[in-house]
Amino acid sequence: MSAATIADPTDDAARDPAPIVPAIAVHGVSHAYGARKALDNVSLTVPASRFTALLGLNGAGKTTLFSLITRLYDTRQGSIDVLGHRVSREPGEALRLLGVVFQARTLDLDISVMDNLLYPAALHGIGRREARQRAHAALQEIDLVDRAREQVRKLSGGQMRRIEIARALLHQPRVLVLDEPTVGLDVASKSAILRQVRALVRERGVAVLWATHLLDEVTPGDAVVVLHRGRVLASGDVADVVTSAGGTDMRSAFIALTGGAPEAPA
Ligand code: ATP
């Protein structure tokens, strides 16, 4: 196994009185469905204010990890912290800091775009007036303000995804996790969504965990975690992971790490 490590936050803590708390810290997490082990002693760090790609083939365990981070499942073995808040002990605080975009579509197709944004905002305790302002601003940012009153089912798949991302951000979380958000979208929608999310990191310092099986969604400046058959094979800056795996780029590094997985990500 080759593992480039992400910079140890304690190094910075020694120099800086305000320690840098990782956006997400996963330690020794295992999860099984009956006899099938989906995650095996997984540890990883999602650095604050960066884009981290969680790269893995189908069945690697990405969705299982998301389900544990977002507390759909209880963490029975190991621990998960969101900005220093243990998900199992302080779920309210941890989840308040988290925005989530699930792999399956979760918009209500029969109500308007605006109502899809306003209802979850109410669940987060955001007042109606404030929610309207935030929803309007969010739709403006993704160029869909003119569609606010339309039924969601009249939008394209890419537009729906962008609304889901806007919705996940309405309570102004500091960490955004997205499970394969570009699956099934065309090239233009895919790059619009990547641009939208990368701008959040650059302009607002939101930390992003982006699960994907697509190598072309990873850029050299990203952090990356390679998950394969429930285990973390490498993590750190892309350049370090590539070097430590003896590859020339992320594709060759992925193949080297996974031992020539039958189906390398596209
Ligand atoms: P994909 O990219 O296909 O969504 P993934 O990386 O998200 O894959 P998971 O969905 O977490 O991977 O699956 C990890 C393993 O756990 C797989 O072997 C899968 O078959 C199994 N698994 C996932 N969910 C369940 C479930 N509800 N019951 C039983 N086994 C499951």
Side-chain angles (χ1 to χ4, degrees):
M1 182 181 103
S2 170
T5 48
I6 292 173
D8 182 350
T10 54
D11 290 345
D12 296 301
R15 291 190 296 271
D16 187 340
I20 297 172
V21 180
I24 301 176
V26 176
H27 288 293
V29 166
S30 296
H31 188 86
Y33 299 96
R36 183 180 295 138
K37 207 163 208 180
L39 294 176
D40 184 7
N41 196 21
V42 163
S43 295
L44 60 93
T45 304
V46 176
S49 306
R50 284 196 67 188
F51 184 100
T52 299
L54 177 65
L55 189 60
L57 301 172
N58 291 340
K62 304 181 295 296
T63 299
T64 302
L65 182 61
F66 271 63
S67 301
L68 292 164
I69 293 172
T70 56
R71 210 163 172 258
L72 282 180
Y73 304 147
D74 284 333
T75 310
R76 295 203 198 98
Q77 209 177 326
S79 65
I80 300 176
D81 295 309
V82 177
L83 286 162
H85 299 277
R86 182 106 350 141
V87 171
S88 56
R89 283 205 299 257
E90 303 174 78
E93 188 59 18
L95 295 179
R96 195 181 61 74
L97 295 164
L98 208 59
V100 185
V101 178
F102 292 104
Q103 193 171 14
R105 297 266 157 77
T106 55
L107 294 176
D108 186 330
L109 299 179
D110 295 320
I111 63 173
S112 73
V113 169
M114 183 54 93
D115 284 344
N116 263 283
L117 295 173
L118 293 182
Y119 292 151
L123 290 177
H124 277 290
I126 305 167
R128 187 106 182 142
R129 197 187 157 94
E130 174 69 18
R132 269 197 179 279
Q133 278 168 0
R134 288 190 197 181
H136 186 82
L139 290 175
Q140 233 162 8
E141 269 177 46
I142 55 173
D143 242 358
L144 286 174
V145 83
D146 58 327
R147 314 291 294 269
R149 287 170 184 277
E150 253 177 79
Q151 246 188 349
V152 164
R153 69 170 67 254
K154 293 185 183 150
L155 303 185
S156 72
Q159 289 166 333
M160 288 186 203
R161 262 304 187 217
R162 302 186 73 192
I163 289 163
E164 282 186 312
I165 296 169
R167 183 184 59 176
L169 293 166
L170 273 198
H171 64 292
Q172 301 175 334
R174 290 170 59 200
V175 185
L176 180 65
V177 297
L178 308 98
D179 191 2
E180 306 219 39
T182 60
V183 162
L185 301 181
D186 62 29
V187 177
S189 304
K190 229 172 86 154
S191 59
I193 285 166
L194 261 169
R195 266 201 313 278
Q196 180 188 359
V197 172
R198 288 187 180 283
L200 290 168
V201 179
R202 210 174 42 245
E203 292 161 17
R204 293 196 215 158
V206 173
V208 167
L209 180 63
W210 174 283
T212 185
H213 64 277
L214 301 171
L215 280 160
D216 65 358
E217 294 184 348
V218 186
T219 67
D222 296 338
V224 67
V225 176
V226 178
L227 187 68
H228 188 61
R229 296 182 181 154
R231 299 184 134 199
V232 173
L233 300 186
S235 65
D237 287 341
V238 166
D240 295 340
V241 168
V242 169
T243 306
S244 68
T248 50
D249 55 17
M250 202 55 233
R251 177 175 303 276
S252 56
F254 185 89
I255 291 170
L257 285 163
T258 56
E263 222 195 312

